[in-house]
Amino acid sequence: MTLTGPEPRFRSLYRQSVPGTRINEDGLGLLGHCAWIIDGATGLSPEPLTDGDSDAAWLAERIHEALERLTGEGEPWDDLLRQVEAEIRLTFETATAHRSGHHVHHTPSACLGLVRARGSGPGSMRVEGRFLGDVVALVPVEQGVARWTDERAKPFERKTLAALEAGGHAPGLMPEAVRRQIQDNRTRLNRPDGYWVVNPSRPWAGRELRFEAQVRTGQPIVLATDGFMRLVDVFKAYTDLSLHAALAEGRGDDLIEELRALERGDLLSGAYPRVKTHDDATVLVIAAETSG
């Protein structure tokens, strides 16, 4: 008989994903000792490249499926993202084989945050993270709450915000100057002098930012997309610490309602500049523990 000790795993405490408009291009998941958050960004193709609700929604779902299957099959942690990259590339090539070709800024992309739990000393866990793009993890540490995210796209995001017209813009309409800036930004996608995201046409695995921390067993860990993190980063209604505390207290639904109320209060995005009046908002609260 083979005896095995307790194995690390994540337990879901709260999860919610609400679309900003008709189509939700976010994703989330957890299985065993891994959990993830995904924020898709549709390419600028004049017509859809895939058969998904949108190209970004299609990509987010394919990333989720690959992570769930590979994690379930026990794919080694160090090889996981390279396997996801290979599968996404092949799946996209198959899905778009009928197309005559496309430029890199036409293809969808996605930000990805992936965390895993590892066994550590009694009462604690080692949590590791790998991040591409501005999805966020809020991780409790001795000094308070650490933010794990990839800010390499921030200079390009600032250029996009600078292109917004003074006084905001109508909901659902993207000013032409903003569209041109986004297109220019995407020429720097997955390049050493640019920023890195999941993309089915350009290599990205191995370029993620890596984090790790010692966490007490059972402490809440938050994964969120930038749409949810508007509560901190755009509207300044919370800090990382107070937002983490509110989620730990079980106030997730209230926070979603508060976020939407803040967005509705500034429909032209004038007081709080942003490209999308309402963005997809996704949050996953988990706790690391052991399972026999």
Side-chain angles (χ1 to χ4, degrees), residues 242-262:
S242 63
L243 186 69
H244 180 275
L247 288 165
E249 292 168 2
R251 293 169 47 203
D253 288 347
D254 293 338
L255 292 170
I256 294 286
E257 291 182 8
E258 183 176 354
L259 170 64
R260 291 304 187 226
L262 289 166

Side-chain angles (χ1 to χ4, degrees), residues 140-164:
V141 294
E142 287 186 6
Q143 298 80 10
V145 170
R147 174 185 283 225
W148 293 356
T149 190
D150 174 6
E151 296 192 339
R152 288 173 290 187
K154 287 298 182 186
F156 304 97
E157 293 174 4
R158 286 193 287 268
K159 291 181 180 180
T160 301
L161 289 177
L164 285 171

Side-chain angles (χ1 to χ4, degrees), residues 36-264:
W36 53 87
I37 196 94
I38 305 164
D39 185 355
T42 292
L44 300 179
S45 175
E47 59 183 10
L49 298 175
T50 69
D51 60 1
D53 291 336
S54 74
D55 290 339
W58 179 93
L59 180 59
E61 183 61 25
R62 300 294 83 75
I63 295 169
H64 170 76
E65 290 173 350
L67 284 169
E68 190 169 55
R69 184 180 61 77
L70 291 167
T71 300
E73 293 175 354
E75 183 71 29
W77 174 251
D78 288 339
D79 297 333
L80 184 57
L81 290 185
R82 294 193 184 279
Q83 282 295 108
V84 172
E85 179 187 278
E87 291 199 8
I88 294 300
R89 183 189 305 115
L90 179 59
T91 303
F92 184 73
E93 288 174 355
T94 302
T96 60
H98 60 292
R99 300 291 182 184
S100 59
H102 46 78
H103 194 274
V104 64
H105 65 252
H106 288 165
T107 62
S109 299
C111 303
L112 172 64
L114 174 67
V115 297
R116 75 159 174 171
R118 299 178 60 192
S120 186
S124 66
M125 287 281 181
R126 197 72 186 170
V127 177
E128 299 176 350
R130 298 190 174 183
F131 283 73
L132 288 160
D134 57 7
V135 290
V136 169
L138 299 179
V139 182
V141 294
E142 287 186 6
Q143 298 80 10
V145 170
R147 174 185 283 225
W148 293 356
T149 190
D150 174 6
E151 296 192 339
R152 288 173 290 187
K154 287 298 182 186
F156 304 97
E157 293 174 4
R158 286 193 287 268
K159 291 181 180 180
T160 301
L161 289 177
L164 285 171
E165 298 173 0
H169 58 92
L173 296 178
M174 182 183 296
E176 184 56 31
V178 173
R179 182 179 297 277
R180 289 195 303 269
Q181 184 59 58
I182 291 175
Q183 184 168 321
D184 182 70
N185 291 347
R186 291 187 181 181
T187 65
R188 312 288 286 279
L189 182 149
N190 291 9
R191 288 176 43 176
D193 62 345
Y195 62 99
W196 298 88
V197 289
V198 177
N199 183 273
S201 298
R202 285 182 177 253
W204 51 268
R207 297 290 187 164
E208 65 277 3
L209 298 187
R210 304 184 180 196
F211 305 87
E212 61 179 59
Q214 197 83 3
V215 177
R216 291 201 306 273
T217 301
Q219 280 191 303
I221 298 167
V222 175
L223 299 177
T225 60
D226 67 333
F228 183 83
M229 292 304 297
R230 284 181 169 187
L231 286 165
V232 175
D233 299 328
V234 176
F235 297 111
K236 313 296 183 184
Y238 293 84
T239 64
D240 287 349
L241 185 62
S242 63
L243 186 69
H244 180 275
L247 288 165
E249 292 168 2
R251 293 169 47 203
D253 288 347
D254 293 338
L255 292 170
I256 294 286
E257 291 182 8
E258 183 176 354
L259 170 64
R260 291 304 187 226
L262 289 166
E263 290 175 331
R264 289 192 299 270

